[in-house]
Amino acid sequence: MAAPEPDPSPAPDPARDPAPGSDPGPDQAPGPEPLTVPSMSAGPDFVLRPWEMSDLPLVREASLDPYIPLITTIPAPYSEAAAEAFVRRQWERAATGAGYPFAIVRSRDRRPVGAIGLWLRDLPEGRASLGYWLTGLARGQGVARAALRTVTGWALRDLGVPRLQLYIEPWNTASARIAEDIGFRREGLLRGWQQVGDERRDMAVYALLNSDGPVDGRAVTAD
């Protein structure tokens, strides 16, 4: 019997401070096209889907985590108004072409347990970034591995992204192990790369190229 998944902490969200969408001015090129966030199965137990206003309890749960609000735009302290703004911000990211934000939902009871995003800010340069987080009760159940494998395979195969990147704090060995199991390779340490709370933190960068070969597992678009 396989050992259970380690308890990974979130991988920082590279799109945590998106710029508000606006119409291009007369001297500006048109912005990216709006994106449609699909629903996809992530193995037999989890589904990835667009964010809904019904996900406010997930935002509340994430706001109580000591780490998630530091690396995302999850509001802390929680308020319903701030949570609704968070969900609308996910919709705006897709509408402005910034990326694909997914809620991770448990299939058996349709309970949302986390989030994963594919961010396309650097796609003109041939690369995109991933970030994810899970609430405490969802950790240790294979959720992060299933979600990351699904979005990674979809981005490389269906979207044709040349290079995917993950940023993981050096202490976060569980998330690093999951990334490496899927095929990501550690490429180096970025010193003082990201503001986390009150300090600048180092981030290890992991990458997977489209030319590296198939990812174990396939994303299946749900009807």
Side-chain angles (χ1 to χ4, degrees):
M1 181 175 178
E5 176 193 50
D7 185 9
S9 293
D13 183 353
R16 63 192 181 129
D17 294 312
S22 60
D23 292 332
D27 298 324
Q28 294 177 293
E33 292 293 323
L35 304 173
T36 299
V37 179
S39 294
M40 300 186 288
S41 66
D45 299 321
F46 303 100
V47 172
L48 311 180
R49 61 153 171 77
W51 279 83
E52 302 173 354
M53 276 300 171
S54 61
D55 295 329
L56 295 190
L58 172 63
V59 180
R60 178 190 291 273
E61 189 174 357
S63 73
L64 300 175
D65 187 274
Y67 189 59
I68 292 174
L70 299 181
I71 59 167
T72 71
T73 55
I74 285 287
Y78 176 89
S79 73
E80 187 164 310
E84 290 177 356
F86 173 85
V87 174
R88 291 192 182 94
R89 197 153 55 244
Q90 310 318 303
W91 296 344
E92 183 181 17
R93 290 177 175 185
T96 59
Y100 293 92
F102 296 94
I104 306 172
V105 180
R106 195 163 58 194
S107 300
R108 71 173 184 267
D109 56 7
R110 300 184 181 276
R111 178 179 176 177
V113 297
I116 187 167
L118 173 68
W119 310 119
L120 307 180
R121 180 181 63 185
D122 295 327
L123 191 58
E125 285 73 47
R127 58 183 179 267
S129 300
L130 293 155
Y132 67 84
W133 53 265
L134 303 173
T135 57
L137 293 177
R139 297 170 189 166
Q141 302 176 39
V143 187
R145 181 176 277 101
L148 184 58
R149 178 184 291 120
T150 297
V151 177
T152 295
W154 175 68
L156 295 176
R157 184 183 59 253
D158 294 69
L159 301 184
V161 177
R163 173 186 168 93
L164 293 176
Q165 299 179 154
L166 271 172
Y167 301 97
I168 300 174
E169 290 205 59
W171 58 261
N172 194 350
T173 56
S175 283
R177 189 176 305 118
I178 289 170
E180 290 171 348
D181 287 348
I182 291 170
F184 285 83
R185 302 178 189 176
R186 177 168 169 153
E187 293 187 335
L189 183 69
L190 304 171
R191 296 183 301 156
W193 179 255
Q194 184 167 319
Q195 188 76 23
V196 178
D198 296 328
E199 59 182 309
R200 301 292 302 182
R201 298 275 188 90
D202 297 346
M203 292 288 165
V205 58
Y206 290 77
L208 179 60
L209 304 185
N210 205 311
S211 57
D212 285 340
V215 176
D216 179 26
R218 295 183 61 85
V220 180
T221 302
D223 294 332

